[in-house]
Amino acid sequence: MLRICLVALSLAAAPLAAQTPEPRVPESQAEISLSFAPLVKEATPAVVNIYARRVVQSRSPFAGDPLFGNLFRDFGGRPRVQNSLGSGVILSEDGIVVSNYHVVGQATDIRVVLNNGAEYEASVLIGDEEADLAILKLEDAGEMPFLPLRDSDTVEVGELVLAIGNPFGVGQTVSSGIVSGLARSGTATGNARGYFIQTDAPINPGNSGGALIDVKGRLIGVNTSILTRSGGSNGIGFAIPSALVAQFVDQARAGNDDFERPWAGMTGQPVNADISESLGLGLPNGVLIADLHPQSPFAEAGLEVGDVVLDVDGQPVNTPPEMLFRMSVRGLGHVARIRYLHDGAPQEAKVEMIAAPETPPREAVTLDEDAVLPGLALARINPAVGAELNLPLPDDGVVVTDPGPYGTRIGLRPGDVLRAINGRAVEKTGDVGRLLKRAAPRVRIDALRGGGRVSLRFRT
């Protein structure tokens, strides 16, 4: 009885302030295990809902049909409005927002809604479909709440994380989990390719573009996709690392409309056990250089075909997407430190991060209305053109950049490398119009497409 009384007296004597502590971010593991509420309260104002609209041209049901395609080419091709829903993260107090490209890319109307109900119009400053990232600017924004970026290279497997977004449009939602994997490449769905942080924090449709934060409220990644068979979360989600987000913000503030990646000028492949054994290496790691362009900065730095790139700026690379990610994070105009193996011996080199050169000149040509294929746009292949159209090495010859309406009908596609017209070699962009007229009315175009050969025949 005495013990009970003493406890009661002790509680009664406790000061009022100690009974109602001020909310704060949890700092210890013990505090984190009690509640994420203070952290969520601090972070969620910077995570926004995004509503985007774009006008798309619906496809005719007869498109591509050899019999009815031309007869009904205008049937069903009416514009329609397509809506998308996703999330975004405010990164600065002046209203810079990051989201996914598949949420806001090519949108004509973007509306951003904060968790307090405030709405803003937004415009895309820079976007990239391959990285699936877009940087927006809120119009007439005052002082905005924002999340600080943490260097994603410091993230470790097993760290506690929160995913914040707007899944299924139900409203802002928070889910918790851990970082379950790093250096995940080639595993995300859609057009995104590269390097990802993997998490088991539940991510669902509508979470795209939302925040993946650590226990201090810092952004470590932008949620982009899930691995699923049913369409729901199975506990395997992917986030684009904050290091790449930082590069996008820097280029957007510099006034770039498109994201510029450093050009490697090489093709490579992961070193597996068989390759490692054949080269007399130890554990299978690194990227084997399979081909090098003469203008490649790696060739300029002394690397050769058969060398194995081990790391970029001290960060290991085991796949070509990881290597491209590391180069993109380093950024154009900088120098990366490369560690590699040459004849089995470790070497180091400094490689300049450059844009794909425009040498030789692209000599772009668009055929006029009097041509056999009016509107057909062509370019001489150089490193810049090859990078834009994702052409394999070696890159030479004449490539289709836009088939135009008539070229599309006969089956030409962007990226087709023209080799011959009715058996006559295509060497320059200026050759194409002349050779087409000489070949009419029965024309055969021989081209390379994705490494394979195609032959297109038509009558004028």
Side-chain angles (χ1 to χ4, degrees), residues 273-290:
D274 292 336
I275 295 175
S276 179
E277 183 178 355
S278 67
L279 295 176
L281 306 178
L283 295 175
N285 56 57
V287 176
L288 174 68
I289 299 177

Side-chain angles (χ1 to χ4, degrees), residues 71-365:
L71 186 61
F72 296 102
R73 62 178 177 267
D74 296 324
F75 181 83
R78 298 179 179 178
R80 59 186 177 86
V81 175
Q82 187 178 73
N83 296 302
S84 63
L85 170 69
S87 305
V89 185
I90 304 176
L91 300 179
S92 65
E93 63 179 2
D94 62 343
I96 294 294
V97 177
V98 63
S99 185
N100 284 143
Y101 182 89
H102 74 259
V103 174
V104 299
Q106 302 176 346
T108 55
D109 180 32
I110 302 173
R111 185 164 54 94
V112 175
V113 182
L114 277 62
N115 73 336
N116 62 4
E119 295 188 14
Y120 295 89
E121 298 295 321
S123 57
V124 177
L125 298 181
I126 189 172
D128 186 83
E129 187 174 10
E130 183 174 326
D132 199 18
L133 279 178
I135 302 299
L136 314 176
K137 180 67 171 66
L138 300 183
E139 297 178 6
D140 302 321
E143 292 187 7
M144 292 284 120
F146 67 94
L147 292 183
L149 291 175
R150 173 185 168 186
D151 183 0
S152 51
D153 287 339
T154 65
V155 175
E156 297 181 357
V157 174
E159 286 193 38
L160 288 170
V161 290
L162 298 182
I164 309 174
N166 181 20
F168 301 110
V170 299
Q172 196 171 81
T173 303
V174 180
S175 56
S176 67
I178 63 169
V179 173
S180 53
L182 296 173
R184 297 297 192 235
S185 57
T187 48
T189 57
N191 291 311
R193 297 180 306 200
Y195 172 102
F196 302 93
I197 297 172
Q198 181 181 313
T199 178
D200 68 349
I203 296 173
N204 288 289
N207 269 111
S208 295
L212 188 69
I213 65 172
D214 65 10
V215 294
K216 292 187 178 180
R218 298 172 298 182
L219 185 74
I220 65 171
V222 174
N223 301 321
T224 185
S225 64
I226 59 176
L227 206 59
T228 179
R229 293 180 179 176
S230 63
S233 175
N234 290 337
I236 301 179
F238 299 101
I240 302 167
S242 58
L244 187 59
V245 175
Q247 268 296 321
F248 268 76
V249 173
D250 289 346
Q251 291 198 24
R253 289 195 180 279
N256 289 12
D257 296 324
D258 298 307
F259 184 70
E260 296 181 350
R261 291 175 176 80
W263 180 67
M266 70 162 68
T267 57
Q269 64 185 94
V271 175
N272 56 28
D274 292 336
I275 295 175
S276 179
E277 183 178 355
S278 67
L279 295 176
L281 306 178
L283 295 175
N285 56 57
V287 176
L288 174 68
I289 299 177
D291 199 359
L292 268 176
H293 192 281
Q295 299 183 62
S296 166
F298 286 83
E300 183 71 22
L303 279 75
E304 301 176 1
V305 172
D307 291 348
V308 177
V309 178
L310 299 175
D311 65 54
V312 177
D313 286 331
Q315 298 294 334
V317 292
N318 293 307
T319 65
E322 285 180 48
M323 186 172 168
L324 181 59
F325 170 81
R326 291 296 168 195
M327 293 174 62
S328 298
V329 167
R330 187 58 176 154
L332 288 173
H334 295 89
V335 174
R337 189 179 74 257
I338 306 296
R339 191 169 65 89
Y340 66 102
L341 296 177
H342 177 74
D343 292 335
Q347 304 281 344
E348 283 197 5
K350 292 182 178 180
V351 177
E352 293 185 23
M353 299 292 98
I354 65 170
E358 284 278 8
T359 307
R362 64 175 63 201
E363 299 174 358
V365 168

Side-chain angles (χ1 to χ4, degrees), residues 417-441:
V417 179
L418 304 186
R419 287 307 189 198
I421 298 175
N422 279 25
R424 297 180 181 272
V426 175
E427 298 178 352
K428 300 180 295 183
T429 56
D431 294 340
V432 176
R434 174 176 51 83
L435 290 176
L436 285 172
K437 283 188 176 181
R438 179 181 295 182

Side-chain angles (χ1 to χ4, degrees), residues 355-373:
E358 284 278 8
T359 307
R362 64 175 63 201
E363 299 174 358
V365 168
T366 301
L367 302 189
D368 59 28
E369 293 298 323
D370 296 328
V372 173
L373 294 176

